[in-house]
Amino acid sequence: LSSLLGVEIKPDVPVDYSKYLKTILAVQAAGVGAYLAYKFVNLSMLGRNLWAIATIMFVLLMTSGFMWNKINDPPYMGQTKSGEIALFVPTNNQQFGVETQIVAVTYAVCALCIVVLVKHAPKIQSADQRTFVTLVFVLVLMLMFSYLNSVFRLKMPGYPFKLLLE
């Protein structure tokens, strides 16, 4: 119409109040939910083990690179020049989505081994069973830690430490 009539016509787009309404309702719902949880749920009855597990899971998730993936939105996997699947980017400035999951699981296995060795292995009554459990979990811990070191060496070739794996 502007070109036909020779008069500049500007569209007047109304304000979309629905997104503001959704945000207000979500904040109110979260507030009501938090109030009801505080009033009717005794958080101490959930136990310190549940809080410890939740804390460890949160720390493992954040240290594995989850937030970097959320912010930068990298591809899930890559491909080498020869066409093979690449799970790790050989630089410390980038990473694939699957790398976060692999590192998080490796960290979780290491944390589980430490918890079992510190809390549960000493309580085993039989000396033979206690020795066997200790050796198995120490071996698993060494293998997982060695794998983490090999991943770090892949990402930073100058990384000076290694344990079992190259």
Side-chain angles (χ1 to χ4, degrees), residues 3-104:
S3 62
L4 289 174
L5 298 175
V7 178
E8 187 176 342
I9 300 173
K10 295 181 184 178
D12 187 21
V13 180
V15 178
D16 184 17
Y17 291 106
S18 64
K19 60 182 174 182
Y20 298 118
L21 182 64
K22 289 177 190 176
T23 304
I24 290 170
L25 289 176
V27 168
Q28 284 181 341
V32 169
Y35 173 75
L36 292 175
Y38 177 74
K39 186 167 179 133
F40 296 113
V41 176
N42 185 3
L43 296 179
S44 65
M45 77 179 186
L46 295 177
R48 54 182 245 201
N49 287 337
L50 183 65
W51 286 108
I53 289 169
T55 303
I56 289 173
M57 286 175 56
F58 179 75
V59 167
L60 292 176
L61 189 66
M62 291 301 134
T63 57
S64 66
F66 174 76
M67 283 311 295
W68 190 91
N69 284 344
K70 281 296 181 186
I71 293 168
N72 294 317
D73 197 26
Y76 187 70
M77 279 191 229
Q79 193 173 16
T80 62
K81 292 179 181 178
S82 62
E84 297 174 0
I85 294 174
L87 299 177
F88 298 99
V89 180
T91 177
N92 61 352
N93 296 332
Q94 284 286 15
Q95 70 180 26
F96 293 129
V98 70
E99 183 177 338
T100 299
Q101 295 170 351
I102 292 170
V103 170

